[in-house]
Amino acid sequence: MSLPHAILTALLEKPSSGLELTRRFDKSIGYFWSATHQQIYRELGRLESGGLIRTLPSEQPARGQRKSYEVLPAGREELARWTAASQDPRPMRDTLLLRMRAAAVVGTEGIEADLRRHLDLHRRQLAEYEAIEKRDFPPGRDSSQDRLRHLVLRAGIDLETFWTRWLTHALEEFPDLPGPGTA
């Protein structure tokens, strides 16, 4: 149910075409709610047929032109309803943690190298988030909208900080663990 709400959010921020939405997802919302180009277009069709968005009128013939969409009052009401509704946290599902648990019974072969790879990926993501923070949230930028968007970014920064710390700690443990296949 969250993809339509992510699209409504993005369209309320700025009416866009499907291609523009895909690009914006890649640069912002996609960091915490990913969607493929096909999923976005499919959902745009559903939202439009559901009366939540509409295609903006075009001055040129529609054939071959990008359609841009905007949110209708019913779409804004749906997004407000969804935003105000209570939701429980989702349980964490992480393959790496499950593999670590499995390594306790079958051995650690391959895990250390993958932990190092994950650490590198999380460090890069953290650096990217920190660069976005520096660029998009300089001191004094404190409107309510900016503060809420910054809080979302801070969640990403804090999560990547957690993973880099945890992975560093896990790798520090490896010299004291039994070798591959000797769990």
Side-chain angles (χ1 to χ4, degrees), residues 48-88:
E48 188 171 28
S49 65
L52 301 180
I53 65 172
R54 73 176 182 127
T55 303
L56 288 171
S58 175
E59 295 176 9
Q60 301 176 2
R63 187 174 177 96
Q65 295 294 100
R66 284 189 198 152
K67 291 195 279 184
S68 288
Y69 300 89
E70 71 176 353
V71 177
L72 294 171
R76 181 180 281 277
E77 290 170 15
E78 168 55 22
L79 187 59
R81 182 208 60 76
W82 180 77
T83 301
S86 177
Q87 291 186 350
D88 291 337

Side-chain angles (χ1 to χ4, degrees), residues 94-108 111 166 183:
D94 190 281
T95 306
L96 179 62
L97 295 177
L98 182 57
R99 290 174 53 227
M100 291 283 289
R101 182 69 183 255
V105 293
V106 298
T108 59
I111 295 289
W166 182 85

